[in-house]
Amino acid sequence: MRLFHLLRPRTVVSAHCDLPCGVYDPAQARIEAESILAVTKKYQDNADPEFRTRALLIKEQRSELVKHHLWVLWTDYFKAPHFEKYPQLHGLFNEATKLAGASGAKGSADPAVAEQLLARIEEISKIFWETKQA
């Protein structure tokens, strides 16, 4: 019994990922979403079919990157206490990833959809930075 007490950890730690780098930032998702917005505007202003095809391909790639960066935040950074304090957080992530997906920016060339995506990312970012201050 005495050996158990000697080997028991004195400090318990937790990490946000398998390799606790601690580097998380919604800016990654925001930058990709800004790219989507810029591409959709250029798409709307250009009638060249080759240009428009390239623009759509780039927009779809950036949409996947937005989803990836959001999922990393949602699944690795944010924990139960954050979701308790900010009950709207799950809904924001759901809306943002859908706005980045096939029914949103990935499947649309409408700049308004990209602007909606950026707005959701901004809301997530505000909460993220509040949690970093705590």
Side-chain angles (χ1 to χ4, degrees):
M1 186 62 101
R2 187 175 180 108
L3 182 60
F4 173 76
H5 289 292
L6 291 173
L7 297 177
R8 185 180 63 188
R10 298 187 195 290
T11 305
V12 177
V13 297
S14 63
H16 295 293
C17 63
D18 295 336
L19 180 63
C21 63
V23 178
Y24 298 99
D25 195 329
Q28 293 171 300
R30 180 188 46 77
I31 289 167
E32 299 300 347
E34 287 176 354
S35 177
I36 293 168
L37 178 59
V39 168
T40 57
K41 287 179 179 179
K42 288 180 179 187
Y43 175 90
Q44 297 298 331
D45 293 339
N46 195 313
D48 177 43
E50 289 180 17
F51 177 89
R52 291 177 72 124
T53 299
R54 284 183 30 243
L56 291 176
L57 290 171
I58 292 168
K59 178 185 62 68
E60 289 182 8
Q61 291 169 343
R62 297 299 182 255
S63 295
E64 284 299 317
L65 288 169
V66 169
K67 289 192 308 184
H68 169 76
H69 292 305
L70 289 173
W71 285 334
V72 168
L73 287 172
W74 195 4
T75 60
D76 293 351
Y77 174 77
F78 286 106
K79 300 295 180 201
H82 299 130
F83 292 109
E84 291 168 12
K85 184 172 181 180
Y86 302 95
Q88 74 276 30
L89 202 50
H90 278 302
L92 285 172
F93 273 105
N94 185 48
E95 290 172 25
T97 54
K98 288 196 180 303
L99 281 166
S103 62
K106 187 175 180 182
S108 170
D110 184 355
V113 174
E115 290 170 351
Q116 291 171 15
L117 173 59
L118 278 164
R120 291 306 173 285
I121 292 171
E122 179 59 28
E123 291 178 67
I124 291 168
S125 183
K126 285 179 186 176
I127 293 171
F128 172 84
W129 290 109
E130 285 179 21
T131 67
K132 295 292 272 188
Q133 300 299 321

